[in-house]
Amino acid sequence: MEIIIQPDSETATAVATRIVTRLLREKPNAVLGLATGSTTLLLYGALTRTKLDWSKVTTFNLDEYVGLPPAHEQSYHNFMWENLFRHVNIRKKNVHIPDGVSRDIPKFCAGYEAQVRAAGGIDLQVLGIGTDGHIGFNEPTSSLTSRTRIKTLTRQTHKDNARFFGSTDKVPHHVITMGLGTIMEARQCLLLAFGAKKARAVAAAVEGPLASLNPASILQMHPNVRVCLDHAAAAKLKRADYYRRVFTNKPEWQRI
Ligand code: GLP
């Protein structure tokens, strides 16, 4: 894992933006795995301001709430179209987001996995992290080899996401999420986390034991993960000095 600690969320996002733009320039038909949540807003904002050609890009979103139709204000369909897709020249047919109103969820999930495979797999998976350590919506005790499936939100996530819905009782209990096994097959992962609220989950993911109780810790087994943090999210890392030393002393050819 490469841990990149920046003074604030803007500078950390600038690093992440360079990683994504470099990929899309080198591989115009790249397959991106995308996340939602407030953390990704700065990244998507920055990407819409770069002159990138999205006409050959394919995307797969990590997750969606069960029961929310695409037009629902809080659906991840709406989030993605509002914050990224409608600002770039991506083709609608190349956008994939789990269908929260699918009538046969297991069948939908198997089909989603097949679509990822048919697209050649994910080149770069963007990730946020929940305060309970989830990535996508893989809550603690998710199987470390899980695939796309239905999950029930923990009380913590339910509470965390109530801020978007106005009240807890409006937050769906179920979601469809790519599994940890699905995420681990991406050729590259880019995790972003900002703010003190994420510090514990980040430390558990990066330096904690590999355990289903810390779903993001599975990324320790991935050969190509970058973690972009602001100061506050990095506050509980024991080896922060080392990560800063690595980043400052990168050989020229490895600079981001
Ligand atoms: C959400 C999403 C995750 C996201 C995480 C953090 O519920 N399912 O993909 O990374 O929780 O969200 P935020 O960035 O708003 O803190």
Side-chain angles (χ1 to χ4, degrees):
M1 270 196 200
E2 183 176 354
I3 316 303
I4 301 165
I5 305 169
Q6 295 291 300
D8 52 48
S9 54
E10 281 79 15
T11 44
T13 299
V15 175
T17 307
R18 288 203 291 279
I19 293 168
V20 179
T21 50
R22 183 178 296 173
L23 171 71
L24 295 193
R25 290 203 174 108
E26 281 169 5
K27 188 174 179 188
N29 63 344
V31 178
L32 296 181
L34 297 176
T36 50
S38 49
T39 309
T40 55
L41 284 173
L42 283 175
L43 174 66
Y44 296 155
L47 288 174
T48 61
R49 289 188 295 275
T50 55
K51 295 251 171 303
L52 282 170
D53 178 13
W54 290 73
S55 62
K56 298 191 183 73
V57 174
T58 297
T59 63
F60 286 91
N61 261 79
L62 282 167
D63 45 19
E64 179 58 286
Y65 291 104
V66 169
L68 298 197
H72 191 286
E73 209 194 340
Q74 292 309 329
S75 76
Y76 286 165
H77 279 77
N78 189 54
F79 178 98
M80 291 309 303
W81 282 99
E82 281 305 307
N83 295 304
L84 178 61
F85 298 146
R86 79 179 175 90
H87 305 283
V88 297
N89 64 332
I90 196 161
R91 295 192 181 164
K92 204 170 175 197
K93 71 172 178 63
N94 291 344
V95 169
H96 304 84
I97 304 173
D99 178 5
V101 289
S102 162
R103 282 209 234 147
D104 186 340
I105 290 177
K107 189 172 166 205
F108 172 81
C109 293
Y112 202 68
E113 291 275 336
Q115 283 181 307
V116 172
R117 276 196 302 277
I122 290 169
D123 289 301
L124 174 91
Q125 176 66 59
V126 175
L127 297 165
I129 187 168
T131 59
D132 65 359
H134 72 236
I135 48 176
F137 265 133
N138 292 282
E139 297 286 33
T141 70
S142 284
S143 157
L144 297 175
T145 58
S146 50
R147 313 301 307 189
T148 304
R149 69 210 184 292
I150 191 167
K151 283 293 288 180
T152 305
L153 297 182
T154 59
R155 235 184 258 284
Q156 179 67 45
T157 304
H158 206 249
K159 200 170 114 225
D160 285 349
N161 289 5
R163 70 190 193 277
F164 301 111
F165 287 80
S167 81
T168 321
D169 40 298
K170 292 200 183 116
V171 187
H173 285 283
H174 295 112
V175 292
I176 293 174
T177 182
M178 279 188 200
L180 294 173
T182 323
I183 292 168
M184 286 294 284
E185 281 170 13
R187 286 181 271 280
Q188 198 185 146
C189 292
L190 175 61
L191 188 147
L192 294 109
F194 309 136
K197 262 179 29 193
K198 300 290 174 75
R200 198 190 53 83
V202 166
V206 174
E207 295 175 341
L210 173 58
S212 66
L213 270 179
N214 299 323
S217 68
I218 189 63
L219 296 172
Q220 294 174 21
M221 296 290 288
H222 194 290
N224 191 351
V225 179
R226 288 192 179 110
V227 180
C228 293
L229 306 171
D230 65 1
H231 262 302
K236 291 196 190 303
L237 289 170
K238 293 195 184 79
R239 301 276 170 163
D241 282 352
Y242 176 63
Y243 310 140
R244 288 196 174 93
R245 188 175 148 77
V246 171
F247 191 71
T248 314
N249 295 292
K250 266 177 177 296
E252 189 63 45
W253 59 267
Q254 248 195 8
R255 299 243 161 103
I256 299 169

